[in-house]
Amino acid sequence: MNGASSAVVVTDLVKRFGDFVAVDAISLEARKGEIFGFLGPNGAGKSTTIRMLCGLLRPTSGQAQVSGLDVATQPEQVRQNIGYMSQKFSLYNDLTVSENLNFFAGMYSVGRSDLTSRLDWAIDMAGLRGRENSFTGTLAAGWKQRLALGCAVLHRPQVLFLDEPTSGVDPLSRRKFWDMIHTMAAEGVTVFVTTHYMDEAEYCNRLVLIDRGKIVASGSPLELKQKYMAGDLLLVECDEIGTALELLQGAPGVDDAAIFGNALHLVVPKASAAIAAVTSYLSQHGITVQTIEPIRPSLEDVFVSLTTARTGAATEKPIP
Amino acid sequence: MNINRLLAMAGKEIIQIKRDARSIGIVIAMPLVMMLAFGYGVSFDTKHIPLYVYDMEGSRQSQDFLKRFQSSIYFRVVKSVTTYRELVQALDDGKCQMGIVVPADFSSRLSSGETVAIQALIDGTDSNSANLGMGYSQAIIQAYSQQVTTQWQQRQGHANVLPPISVDSRTWFNESLESMATIVPGVVALVMAVVGTFLTSLTIAREWERGTMEQLISTPVTPMEIMFGKLTPYMVVGLFDTCVCAAMGVWWFGVPFRGHVWVFFLSSILFLTVVLSMGYFFSVVAKTQLAASQISLIATFLPAFLLSGFIYPIDQMPAVIQVITHAVPARYYMAILRDVFLKGTPILLMWRDFAGLALFALLLAVVASRAFKKRLE
């Protein structure tokens, strides 16, 4: 693989916990300055992969290089070149904002000449000017998140690993957070981010979908939508949505059916032909259709169709 | 080792110690409370043994004899009874530990130069006190009978005949043979074993429990920097506590301090290295604060209490146990502290204890530093 423009190169990476295979021979490559999204349902192996890339877990087999450094044999050099934000907030709640920043500046050996400007930058970026002496534990989730990001990038890492960075954060804060991610990516930082928010996945340059430890799809958001949604997508609003789902799952001319909010999404070979067929099929079974119309697939549809195709459990909705 | 990271680590730890009310409690209250509890609670001196007397004669001479018991600090005459049954009852009820019975022919036999048998009844359930009580009472009776003999000889017109040999003993280092003087240096060692281990037993486990460890180990900080960064503040705290304990020993319990202060500090630093490393190790292994602190208490308190020579003299222990005591670091520290407080022995004469302590300090520091892995599994 070409190492010059690749920030993260993973080849056949495997992680086993006893008999359980958490990550099953994953290969991927993230280019420099790219926002690389890592999608999958809970327990799919996203966090395990990201922890191996940060040198926190030892791979069972396979290879992973971050900034050209091998995570298994050079974990300390890797750590100097990366920033990491774990899934759970993990700064010191009993330290103030500036004490946390100073501590992590020390951990990353941020030089004396650079220190003041970096701390100022982090405080401004996190919007915590005037709250430098607040205890971190008292901050709202959005601020905590931005402070954690600030702490993770004080040493200007080339690669940033974010494990579900915006879970539990309000939409406005999520937006701000992503603005910061984009700014850093524009400056050449590779951002490797796991998420299960589909709207966030749309922000990524490239996506990898992972399910049960295996990569099931990869590409840009647009590519994924075009490539993996064979057929058209129909939105159906009707009575007795649960019964309708069961009926349609085995119905002729319907490739897949899943509940999305208060409606059903159906994957059909051709929308125009299916609209009439589905409406009559449901009314035969005593279900009245209120709305049926073709829609453009979202990443969520792609995601559901890919993960359910593997599990065979169409009723299970992996995305909250 | 990177000095920036070390300082940042130590600085963070100091802030956390200062902010955590519980650790302040451990640092300040625990040594004080333990010093007082052990200083007063553990006493091997048997004084004021409760005594019942049964004077069957009731003469001036028999009363004079019993006054000897009254004026001794080792006995406390609780009651004078008039029947044998009362005396036995009192022993049964535990109202007294000892009973002295003076026979009805006490003065008449004495004046005729015959031997009188005094009966002493002792509650032997506490064999140590029983032994001591027996010894003290024998000493009193011996002295009295010496006096009677002398008086009798004088009456017979003999010159003042003294016994041919007498012992004139002088106790060194602990002149008044107060067990307090032996106990207090031991208590200092005991308190520091428990407090020292307890202090660090929380530090790593706390980071795991609060979830801060994952962020910490994703940075380039090395396990050595984490260990030294965390232990250095606790070394300062530990030395402060040692000084508090020693000061209490000297000014509160009145134990002398005859050795050099630097010997005291050197041995304390070595011992703190042992116990702080031990606590750190437990913290790494246990991963929860509760488990780590409990392991620390059990692993340090019992050996330091039973096998260090604190309660039982090591040379009185069975041979096998004596060998085992060599694996108890508190043993060496306690021996050094007793010397430092009571004797002021030159350090060269204590080289065995210092060598033992230094060996354990090195061993445990290495074990602790190797135990911590920067991995999540």
Side-chain angles (χ1 to χ4, degrees):
Chain A
M1 297 195 186
N2 86 60
S5 61
S6 294
V8 180
V9 180
V10 172
T11 319
D12 292 328
L13 196 64
V14 175
K15 180 66 194 179
R16 274 195 207 94
F17 295 105
D19 288 339
F20 175 64
V21 185
V23 175
D24 193 357
I26 276 182
S27 297
L28 55 84
E29 197 179 335
R31 284 188 284 268
K32 204 168 179 303
E34 191 169 56
I35 301 178
F36 192 94
F38 209 49
L39 265 74
N42 292 327
K46 302 187 301 273
S47 293
T48 307
T49 305
I50 221 168
R51 283 168 168 175
M52 281 194 281
L53 295 178
C54 296
L56 301 178
L57 287 175
R58 199 190 296 274
T60 308
S61 67
Q63 275 204 320
Q65 287 191 337
V66 174
S67 295
L69 298 158
D70 191 302
V71 296
T73 58
Q74 303 166 284
E76 293 307 335
Q77 289 94 320
V78 168
R79 288 189 184 110
Q80 187 64 57
N81 288 293
I82 61 162
Y84 170 63
M85 244 181 92
S86 64
Q87 199 167 356
K88 206 181 138 224
F89 176 75
S90 51
L91 299 184
Y92 297 94
N93 278 326
D94 53 345
L95 261 55
T96 65
V97 167
S98 58
E99 282 164 352
N100 264 305
L101 284 166
N102 272 302
F103 175 69
F104 284 99
M107 287 298 109
Y108 288 116
S109 315
V110 175
R112 198 169 288 274
S113 55
D114 213 13
L115 186 63
T116 326
S117 68
R118 286 308 281 169
L119 294 180
D120 277 345
W121 171 85
I123 284 168
D124 285 335
M125 176 203 71
L128 285 165
R129 180 70 58 202
R131 288 178 181 265
E132 293 90 336
N133 295 320
S134 300
F135 282 108
T136 308
T138 64
L139 298 176
W143 268 314
K144 281 188 176 179
Q145 225 72 13
R146 291 194 294 270
L147 177 61
L149 179 66
C151 286
V153 298
L154 284 170
H155 58 303
R156 304 177 202 272
Q158 296 156 24
V159 187
L160 183 56
F161 291 97
L162 308 171
D163 194 0
E164 298 195 3
T166 56
S167 57
V169 171
D170 65 273
L172 193 64
S173 295
R174 272 171 63 192
R175 184 68 147 275
K176 281 189 192 162
F177 192 85
W178 275 94
D179 287 344
M180 284 153 45
I181 302 288
H182 280 289
T183 311
M184 278 186 249
E187 288 164 4
V189 176
T190 307
V191 182
F192 195 102
V193 57
T194 74
T195 183
H196 52 217
Y197 289 114
M198 291 305 140
D199 55 336
E200 290 188 357
E202 305 266 6
Y203 295 138
C204 297
N205 302 123
R206 215 135 60 86
L207 292 171
V208 158
L209 261 69
I210 177 173
D211 187 32
R212 299 187 169 196
K214 284 199 162 78
I215 291 177
V216 291
S218 65
S220 71
L222 190 64
E223 278 168 4
L224 282 176
K225 286 181 217 169
Q226 287 169 345
K227 193 161 141 197
Y228 292 97
M229 287 301 290
D232 293 342
L233 194 68
L234 287 181
L235 172 110
V236 181
E237 284 177 350
C238 62
D239 307 329
E240 294 176 65
I241 195 163
T243 321
L245 177 70
E246 278 174 38
L247 286 167
L248 289 168
Q249 269 169 5
V254 176
D255 293 339
D256 196 10
I259 295 178
F260 274 77
N262 298 319
L264 290 174
H265 284 192
L266 304 183
V267 181
V268 294
K270 195 91 190 111
S272 52
I275 289 177
V278 168
T279 313
S280 68
Y281 181 77
L282 284 177
S283 63
Q284 273 168 34
H285 291 85
I287 294 171
T288 316
V289 174
Q290 278 109 29
T291 317
I292 182 161
E293 59 187 17
I295 52 168
R296 280 184 54 205
S298 70
L299 267 177
E300 194 161 349
D301 294 303
V302 176
F303 184 85
V304 171
S305 93
L306 281 167
T307 51
T308 53
R310 282 168 48 81
T311 61
T315 44
E316 198 184 355
K317 190 167 173 267
I319 306 129
Chain B
M1 208 158 329
N2 175 308
I3 193 72
N4 272 328
R5 292 198 291 252
L6 192 66
L7 289 177
M9 194 74 223
K12 184 217 83 169
E13 210 62 28
I14 290 168
I15 295 172
Q16 286 188 315
I17 294 171
K18 282 196 299 193
R19 290 213 180 119
D20 182 16
R22 194 175 41 170
S23 64
I24 296 284
I26 296 169
V27 169
I28 307 283
M30 209 157 133
L32 291 177
V33 170
M34 284 184 77
M35 276 303 285
L36 290 174
F38 284 106
Y40 285 118
V42 184
S43 167
F44 306 124
D45 295 333
T46 305
K47 284 182 188 166
H48 311 297
I49 297 168
L51 178 77
Y52 266 45
V53 293
Y54 174 26
D55 187 356
M56 292 169 87
E57 191 183 58
S59 69
R60 227 193 69 201
Q61 194 164 16
S62 66
Q63 284 298 306
D64 180 49
F65 167 70
L66 287 174
K67 267 212 184 78
R68 301 288 180 113
F69 284 91
Q70 233 156 18
S71 56
S72 158
I73 55 158
Y74 300 111
F75 295 101
R76 181 167 55 88
V77 178
V78 181
K79 202 175 177 188
S80 181
V81 293
T82 49
T83 63
Y84 199 74
R85 252 214 5 241
E86 269 182 278
L87 177 58
V88 173
Q89 189 69 43
L91 271 170
D92 282 347
D93 293 348
K95 285 181 185 152
C96 65
Q97 268 191 310
M98 232 181 122
I100 294 285
V101 183
V102 182
D105 52 358
F106 181 75
S107 51
S108 62
R109 284 180 82 101
L110 278 185
S111 49
S112 60
E114 289 172 82
T115 304
V116 183
I118 296 289
Q119 186 179 25
L121 297 165
I122 304 177
D123 177 356
T125 37
D126 177 356
S127 63
N128 188 38
S129 316
N131 268 325
L132 288 168
M134 201 125 72
Y136 293 142
S137 59
Q138 270 164 5
I140 290 174
I141 295 166
Q142 199 73 47
Y144 188 77
S145 102
Q146 187 74 52
Q147 190 194 322
V148 171
T149 315
T150 315
Q151 283 169 355
W152 187 78
Q153 283 170 333
Q154 280 170 343
R155 271 207 304 279
Q156 300 296 310
H158 294 289
N160 202 354
V161 180
L162 288 170
I165 299 173
S166 77
V167 180
D168 193 359
S169 63
R170 186 178 157 224
T171 312
W172 276 21
F173 309 126
N174 179 7
E175 291 76 4
S176 51
L177 265 184
E178 291 263 4
S179 70
M180 194 68 93
T182 343
I183 289 171
V184 166
V187 173
V188 176
L190 189 66
V191 171
M192 288 328 295
V194 175
V195 173
T197 319
F198 205 76
L199 284 174
T200 45
S201 73
L202 304 176
T203 92
I204 292 286
R206 185 167 47 211
E207 303 246 9
W208 284 115
E209 273 183 13
R210 294 187 184 169
T212 50
M213 187 55 92
E214 186 161 347
Q215 196 68 47
L216 180 61
I217 60 178
S218 76
T219 72
V221 69
T222 67
M224 274 295 187
E225 287 155 2
I226 293 180
M227 179 163 143
F228 278 93
K230 277 177 175 289
L231 295 200
T232 311
Y234 285 111
M235 176 62 84
V236 176
V237 168
L239 281 175
F240 169 77
D241 277 347
T242 321
C243 291
V244 169
C245 290
M248 273 184 84
V250 174
W251 285 297
W252 186 272
F253 291 108
V255 173
F257 190 99
R258 298 190 172 120
H260 288 289
V261 172
W262 69 268
V263 176
F264 170 75
F265 273 106
L266 181 64
S267 60
S268 298
I269 287 169
L270 286 175
F271 187 65
L272 282 168
T273 308
V274 171
V275 292
L276 295 178
S277 304
M278 217 148 99
Y280 182 84
F281 175 76
F282 294 144
S283 201
V284 169
V285 176
K287 287 204 175 181
T288 70
Q289 295 188 73
L290 186 67
S293 58
Q294 283 179 345
I295 297 173
S296 304
L297 274 182
I298 294 165
T300 55
F301 183 76
L302 288 181
F305 192 72
L306 298 172
L307 296 174
S308 63
F310 176 63
I311 294 253
Y312 312 111
I314 289 170
D315 52 18
Q316 303 290 307
M317 293 176 182
V320 181
I321 307 289
Q322 284 195 34
V323 174
I324 295 174
T325 62
H326 288 280
V328 179
R331 168 208 162 124
Y332 307 105
Y333 186 49
M334 212 169 276
I336 293 169
L337 282 190
R338 276 183 184 154
D339 273 1
V340 167
F341 276 97
L342 303 178
K343 287 193 190 170
T345 316
I347 186 169
L348 282 177
L349 293 177
M350 292 188 275
W351 73 271
R352 279 167 202 279
D353 290 318
F354 267 97
L357 209 50
L359 192 74
F360 273 99
L362 188 70
L363 188 77
L364 281 158
V366 169
V367 168
S369 67
R370 298 242 168 122
F372 183 70
K373 297 274 184 292
K374 279 181 73 185
R375 300 265 181 198
L376 288 170
E377 52 215 315

